[in-house]
Structure formats: C-alpha cells, structure tokens
Amino acid sequence: MKEYMDLTRLDENEKGIVREITGGRGFVNKLEMLGIREGMEIIKVSGIMMRGPVVVRAGNTQAAIGYGMARRIFVEKEK
Amino acid sequence: MKKILLVGNPNVGKSVIFSRLTGVDVISSNYPGTTIEFTMGNLKAGEERCQIIDVPGIYSLEATSKAEEVAVEMLEGGDVIIDILDSTNLERNLNLTLMLIKKKIPMMVILNFWDEIKHIGISIDGTRLEEILGVPVMPVCAVTGEGIKNAVSRIREAKVSAYDFTDKNRWKAIGEIIEKTQKVEHKHHTLLERLSDITVRPLTGIPAAATIMYLVFEAVRLLGEGIINRLMDPFFNNVYMPVVLKVAGMTGAGFIREFLVGKTPEVMKSFGILTTGLYIPFVVVLPYILSFYLVLSFLEDFGYLPRLAVLLDNIFHKLGLHGYSSIPVILGLGCKVPAILSVRILETQREKIIATVLLLMSAPCMPQTAMILSLGMRYGIKTAASIFAILIVVSVASCMVLNRIMKGETPELFVEIPPYRLPKLTVILKKLWLRIKGFLMEAVPIIILGVGIVNVFDLLGIMGYFTKLMQAPFARLFGLPGELASVALLGFLRTDMSIALLAPFSLTSAQFVKAGVFLALYLPCLATFFTMAREMGWMSAVKITVWMLAATSLVMVILNVVL
C-alpha cells in the first residue's frame, strides 16, 4: 500500500516522491530551484524537533525547509 | 571594453573562478550568499582586454530577493555570459542555463567541481553537452586551477545558443539533456556525507554543535594567547620598548616626548602613540584577529555554518529571525562591518533590523573581545565571562521585545545546504590575509589616531572638562568613576580602544564588568554606523543606535543595583 503524507511526517532516511505542492507560484518556483518538484524522489535527511526545519536531499542537493513550508509539500512514501 | 559576466547558482564557485581569471582576491566561502555585491576585475583573453564581473548567485531570472534583483539587472549590460555550473548538480543548474539562453547573449558554460563528480559516481559527457547547447562547454576545478587556462582560451568562441525549447517545457528539455549527457551509478556514502548527516540531525547534531562551538572558542583563545605571550609581548617589551624609550629620551622632556611615549613607562597606561598606540593593535588585538579568522575561515570553507543555522532555527524564531541569521551573527564576532553587509541575505527590512540589533549587541567584535580578555583576565575568568554572559542575555531580551513590537511575520528558513568540502590550505591562508590586510589598513591607523587624540585632549585639559560634566550622572546612575565619561566619548571612534582606556583606572571587578558591558553596548563604532546607514537607510541606522543607547542605559541602571 502506498502512503500519502506531508514532509514533516516522513521519518529520517525515508524516501518519498513529491506528489503535490500547495502554495502560490512563488513557493513552487522556490522549491523548483532546489530540485524539489512534482515527480521527484526526495529523501528526508533530518527533521528538527519542536516544529523545526526539515532537511531533504533531492539528487545531490540538500535543502533546509521551514516547518510551515514542509507541511505544504506532500509525498508518496516509498516502501 | 568587453564586459564578461560570471553568472550561476549560489555556491557554484563563481568567486573562486573570478579570482583565478583576474588575480583579484575576493572572499569566498562554502555557503550560498557570500558574494552580496558585484566585484570587477580585468582579464586579457588573447589580444583583447576584458572586464570580468562576479555577479551574486541566482537560482533563476525571477528574482526573489534584493541580491537577486541586482544580479538580474546586471545581465542587461553584459556582452558575454560565462555560465558557471556545479557539475555535481547538473540538472538543477541547467535550469538557469536554459533561462540564460533565452536572453540571446553570447555565452559559454563552465562545469566547476569537475574533480568531485567521480567521487559521487557521476560521469558527464561535456562534448555531447557542447553539441546540444551549441556553446563552448569547459570542465574546470576552480580551487586547484585545473582547466582554467583552457576555458579562458575559448571565451572568444562564446556565442548565442541556438538550442530551442518552449519555456513551459523547460524541465522536460532539461530531462532530455541529462538523459544524453549524464550517467549516475550508485555509490556508497562518503565519509564527508556521513559526517554531514550526523551534524544536521538533532540527536547527534546538537551535541556536535556544542562541542564544535566550545572547541572553536578554546582554539581561538589558546592560539591568540599563545601568540601574545610567546611572541608579540616579549618582543614588544624586550626589544621594541627599550629602543623607543631611548630614542624618545633624546627628544628631551616635554610635549613631543609625552605625545610619543606618554608619561609612564608602563605600556598600557602611557598612551603614547609609539607605545600604547602600537601595543593595542599589534600585540593585543592582531593575534586574536588572526586566530579567530583562521578558525572561522576553516568552518566557512568546510561548510559547517548552514548546518548550524538549521539547528539554531528554533531558537532564532523566538527572536523573530530564522536560523540563517546566525551567519551574520557569527561574522559579527570578528567585525561588525562585514556582518552588517551579510544581513543582505535576509529578505525583509524587519528581519534585517532585528538581525542587526542581535549581531551588534550579542557580542563585541574581536578587537574589543581581545581587549576585554586582556584586561578582564586580571580579575579572573569569572569577570571576563560575566561580561559576555550579560551581553547575550541583554541582546536576546532586546530582540524578543523588538519581535513583539515590530509588525510583520518571521519568514521561514529556506536554504541550500552545501556538501562538506575539505578546504585547501592555500585558499584559507589567502582569505586570512585578505581579512588581516583589512584590519591593518583600516583599523590600525584609526587606533593610532585615537590614542593620539586622547593624548592631545588630555594635554589640553579637554578630558578634565568632560569628566567634570559627566561625573555626577555617571556615578549616581551607573556607579562608575566620572573619568569614564571621556572614555565613552571616544568609544564611537573605535570600541576596542575605548576599553583600552580603562587600563589606567583602578576599577574593582564589578566596576570593570559594568564598564565593559557599557562600552560594548552603548554605541556602534563609526564604521559600523555608516555601514548601517548605507545598507538600511539613515532612519533605521539612527533608530537602531537610539535603541541600543536606551537598552544600555536601562541595563546599566539594573547592573548598578545588582552588582
């Protein structure tokens, strides 16, 4: 079964495919620049506790994304 | 003269390539956003002399920050674009390349970090990429200089790319190019990659950060102290001073002699321009500057700072900032001027103001720190340490208040984290020299001038006048001797010097703490003030200064009651 969740709920070292980014054009553009866009596989590297930022790897790029932004990125978890 | 623009994503090594091409040294680091202003230099390509411009990094032509806006505007005036790509992130970097192609400006492509791709299991067919794009494509390794010469020889061949695509299908087009030019094989994590994960995960990263900060502090202190105690101080006292005193003695007693070497033979109390005037910058301050920037340069080039920013993000949010503001704060430990320039990486005016207040108030600059340590350690580590502790508490409280009273929201952290890279010693030493040179050229003359002014004021009795004027409020409100008022007066010129002026007073430990906090907080130095005005406007600079002055007065009254 495939699970659908926002980025903050993915665990460390888990992979997911980006399925939906909810936000304006500016937000989508910003993520795109760091290689995070629909259909891309990303790995969650780290999530800082207490609603801290999430670190993901997309290809060879790592990015730190604020918690609120991470909540708006939905991935399909890969088993 | 032909204008050549170096354009590329942040942190692809544009500044290193710029230095290679022009011989002009610029500061580069391993994190996005080091270059905030453009730099120009000259290059001879064949017979032709060209002007090379190092443009701040951009991810796309749709600018999202002030620095990016500036960069996009600069494109209009370019005759040739050298598009610099990070070979380890070819796909993502090609996004900007394709956008640049639409500008129809002659272009060539440089693939930097060519040496790194094989370690991570990537191979790129540069010739094929050149065929597809129709512009010269040259692999280089900027840090070692490999490939630079070949790249320069092909600048003449730069041309408008005939590659055709519609903007809507940009990513699809990129996908096709990648398909044809890049092969990726699976490789296990390298040691540096594993270290990266460890330092960015909270469970391991937070203890690591605490350890690293402690080690940094100890390394700076031990190295600084070592250079002072083993090298500079013995040389100054045993070799330099006897000669100077002898020479000055020949001028006979009187004004000139006092101006040169002061009234007492004790170097920190004499205030002669040849004694205290040189002792402060070279013996007390320079060793700490050297050791601080050596350690900072290593952290910068290794790539640690963005990871620290991630870990600190939560704490910074309480102050109305996000974690990336920790970079200006850390730079501010060295000197406030470059720190304020780096505030440009933040987006909103609100953030810029809070970050500036934080970096100005949370810790003194390195010259001031050196003076506090050098004078404060006579009272013991507790006295010196309590000054720093008080500053942190005051700055945090101050920013929390600003966060409440200033309208607006705190933007979220969104930043690329570069891979760890082992720094090259030559690159670090070059950067160290750039910063030391800055100190020698700009700070040292002002310190000597300041000591001279103190000396003349003292001789003319101006100091005495101010002392009388300020004595009552200083004693009553702050519990400090009135003479310190004249010290404070000179503090805005250079803050490290104002602390040196405390040396002749026999202050108690509590008084030294109060005076140290006061002089570190009450005003930014002149250079800092003008930088603020230039970056954020006069109004904001004045507001920040008034805020600091008000906060300092409040803190001083409280300290006077408590201590």
Side-chain angles (χ1 to χ4, degrees):
Chain A
M1 219 198 57
K2 281 175 176 170
E3 281 181 82
Y4 197 68
M5 58 178 67
D6 74 60
L7 203 49
T8 60
R9 288 174 52 220
L10 211 57
D11 281 329
E12 262 177 26
N13 270 334
E14 280 185 335
K15 280 183 193 172
I17 294 181
V18 180
R19 286 301 177 209
E20 196 188 335
I21 297 169
T22 51
R25 184 76 203 131
F27 182 54
V28 174
N29 270 349
K30 239 165 116 167
L31 292 171
E32 202 172 69
M33 291 172 212
L34 293 185
I36 301 164
R37 57 179 201 277
E38 280 175 31
M40 288 293 281
E41 183 190 84
I42 58 177
I43 302 171
K44 180 159 167 181
V45 177
S46 160
I48 310 294
M49 62 283 258
M50 286 160 55
R51 297 173 160 252
V54 173
V55 179
V56 296
R57 190 199 313 272
N60 273 310
T61 305
Q62 281 201 34
I65 305 171
Y67 188 86
M69 288 182 175
R71 284 281 294 268
R72 294 192 274 145
I73 301 170
F74 293 90
V75 296
E76 186 182 303
K77 190 163 121 181
E78 286 183 15
K79 286 283 164 86
Chain B
M1 202 160 37
K2 217 185 213 171
K3 249 192 199 167
I4 300 178
L5 305 174
L6 301 184
V7 186
N9 282 3
N11 213 41
V12 296
K14 289 180 295 300
S15 295
V16 182
I17 289 180
F18 174 80
S19 292
R20 287 275 168 201
L21 292 178
T22 60
V24 175
D25 291 329
V26 286
I27 299 235
S28 55
S29 303
N30 184 19
Y31 56 83
T34 309
T35 309
I36 34 152
E37 253 175 333
F38 66 92
T39 327
M40 280 186 280
N42 292 314
L43 165 82
K44 221 172 149 192
E47 286 305 297
E48 207 175 354
R49 281 191 72 80
C50 310
Q51 187 179 43
I52 305 254
I53 301 171
D54 182 17
V55 180
I58 41 173
Y59 286 111
S60 80
L61 296 182
E62 298 150 27
T64 52
S65 77
K66 184 86 183 112
E68 285 188 344
E69 245 171 66
V70 173
V72 172
E73 272 170 30
M74 287 171 61
L75 290 182
E76 303 305 328
D79 299 309
V80 174
I81 290 176
I82 298 185
D83 179 27
I84 299 167
L85 275 63
D86 170 356
S87 317
T88 65
N89 276 308
L90 188 61
E91 181 176 15
R92 182 167 64 81
N93 279 231
L94 278 173
N95 187 31
L96 179 65
T97 307
L98 292 205
M99 287 178 168
L100 289 172
I101 282 175
K102 290 274 181 201
K103 285 263 158 194
K104 303 285 175 203
I105 298 171
M107 173 161 120
M108 84 173 277
V109 168
I110 283 184
L111 299 172
N112 194 19
F113 299 119
W114 191 253
D115 55 319
E116 274 185 33
I117 56 172
K118 59 175 178 290
H119 299 303
I120 54 174
I122 294 177
S123 62
I124 296 172
D125 187 344
T127 327
R128 189 86 180 84
L129 187 61
E130 181 164 333
E131 282 167 19
I132 296 172
L133 295 178
V135 300
V137 173
M138 296 302 287
V140 309
C141 170
V143 176
T144 60
E146 245 179 289
I148 294 281
K149 253 199 186 140
N150 290 335
V152 170
S153 71
R154 298 198 61 193
I155 292 177
R156 278 178 288 130
E157 298 169 42
K159 53 176 174 281
V160 175
S161 168
Y163 183 76
D164 194 34
F165 64 99
T166 57
D167 243 340
K168 233 177 119 193
N169 290 328
R170 202 169 58 236
W171 283 108
K172 207 171 145 239
I174 292 170
E176 283 165 15
I177 298 174
I178 289 294
E179 187 94 335
K180 287 176 192 153
T181 55
Q182 179 176 281
K183 279 198 188 70
V184 182
E185 51 179 302
H186 185 74
K187 275 260 170 116
H188 282 288
H189 264 35
T190 63
L191 192 64
L192 286 178
E193 280 169 332
R194 244 176 280 160
L195 195 61
S196 166
D197 289 352
I198 290 171
T199 45
V200 85
R201 285 184 176 141
L203 234 50
T204 43
I206 293 170
T211 313
I212 290 168
M213 286 298 107
Y214 174 75
L215 289 177
V216 163
F217 183 77
E218 280 296 291
V220 171
R221 194 177 63 88
L222 287 176
L223 191 61
E225 270 179 12
I227 301 173
I228 293 175
N229 295 337
R230 280 159 197 252
L231 195 70
M232 301 306 272
D233 192 61
F235 174 81
F236 200 87
N237 280 321
N238 302 332
V239 181
Y240 174 79
M241 279 298 272
V243 176
V244 164
L245 287 178
K246 203 165 203 175
V247 173
M250 287 189 268
T251 65
F255 180 82
I256 293 173
R257 193 193 131 95
E258 251 177 47
F259 186 69
L260 292 178
V261 299
K263 287 176 196 163
T264 79
E266 217 178 316
V267 71
M268 276 302 282
K269 295 184 181 175
S270 65
F271 277 93
I273 54 164
L274 292 181
T275 53
T276 315
L278 294 178
Y279 188 83
I280 295 175
F282 289 109
V283 182
V284 183
V285 175
L286 185 60
Y288 277 103
I289 300 249
L290 195 82
S291 63
F292 173 76
Y293 279 126
L294 187 66
V295 176
L296 178 70
S297 301
F298 179 81
L299 287 183
E300 280 182 335
D301 288 11
F302 189 60
Y304 183 64
L305 300 186
R307 286 162 179 87
L308 187 64
V310 170
L311 295 171
L312 289 174
D313 190 55
N314 273 335
I315 301 173
F316 273 69
H317 264 278
K318 305 259 184 295
L319 311 178
L321 297 168
H322 61 61
Y324 219 55
S325 314
S326 58
I327 289 183
V329 172
I330 289 170
L331 292 180
L333 298 175
C335 173
K336 304 298 176 193
V337 172
I340 287 172
L341 291 176
S342 75
V343 164
R344 262 192 225 179
I345 56 179
L346 305 176
E347 294 132 60
T348 63
Q349 178 80 354
R350 179 182 192 266
E351 271 182 294
K352 287 178 190 176
I353 289 177
I354 299 180
T356 304
V357 169
L358 183 65
L359 74 90
L360 287 176
M361 295 182 79
S362 59
C365 61
M366 199 38 63
Q368 220 177 353
T369 301
M371 291 311 304
I372 291 175
L373 289 177
S374 128
L375 293 178
M377 288 308 253
R378 299 181 191 169
Y379 301 95
I381 183 98
K382 263 192 185 162
T383 304
S386 51
I387 293 181
F388 295 102
I390 291 168
L391 292 180
I392 289 178
V393 173
V394 172
S395 61
V396 167
S398 178
C399 289
M400 284 172 90
V401 173
L402 282 179
N403 187 27
R404 281 281 166 83
I405 61 176
M406 285 177 77
K407 275 192 208 114
E409 278 172 42
T410 307
E412 288 197 76
L413 182 70
F414 182 75
V415 68
E416 182 182 350
I417 299 180
Y420 278 147
R421 296 192 164 106
L422 283 180
K424 284 250 176 324
L425 187 65
T426 46
V427 176
I428 287 202
L429 290 179
K430 205 178 235 177
K431 185 150 95 165
L432 185 63
W433 168 239
L434 270 182
R435 284 167 160 164
I436 297 283
K437 200 164 75 179
F439 172 73
L440 294 177
M441 310 280 274
E442 283 150 36
V444 171
I446 298 181
I447 296 178
I448 297 172
L449 178 76
V451 170
I453 293 176
V454 173
N455 212 321
V456 172
F457 275 18
D458 197 28
L459 292 171
L460 296 178
I462 296 177
M463 295 291 247
Y465 174 75
F466 270 105
T467 304
K468 238 183 241 159
L469 199 71
M470 296 297 289
Q471 199 144 27
F474 249 64
R476 199 159 307 148
L477 286 175
F478 306 156
L480 291 170
E483 286 86 353
L484 286 181
S486 46
V487 173
L489 195 69
L490 284 155
F492 80 99
L493 200 59
R494 260 198 79 85
T495 39
D496 46 352
M497 204 190 61
S498 66
I499 291 181
L501 289 163
L502 297 176
F505 303 104
S506 354
L507 297 176
T508 65
S509 162
Q511 276 179 325
F512 182 79
V513 171
K514 280 188 282 185
V517 169
F518 178 75
L519 292 176
L521 275 185
Y522 81 116
L523 282 182
C525 74
L526 213 54
T528 305
F529 181 81
F530 282 118
T531 311
M532 274 200 291
R534 197 160 62 97
E535 291 294 306
M536 279 169 281
W538 288 95
M539 270 309 280
S540 295
V542 170
K543 273 187 198 160
I544 289 172
T545 309
V546 171
W547 176 264
M548 286 172 72
L549 207 56
T552 311
S553 308
L554 183 67
V555 171
M556 290 305 292
V557 172
I558 296 172
L559 284 182
N560 191 29
V561 176
V562 180
L563 287 176

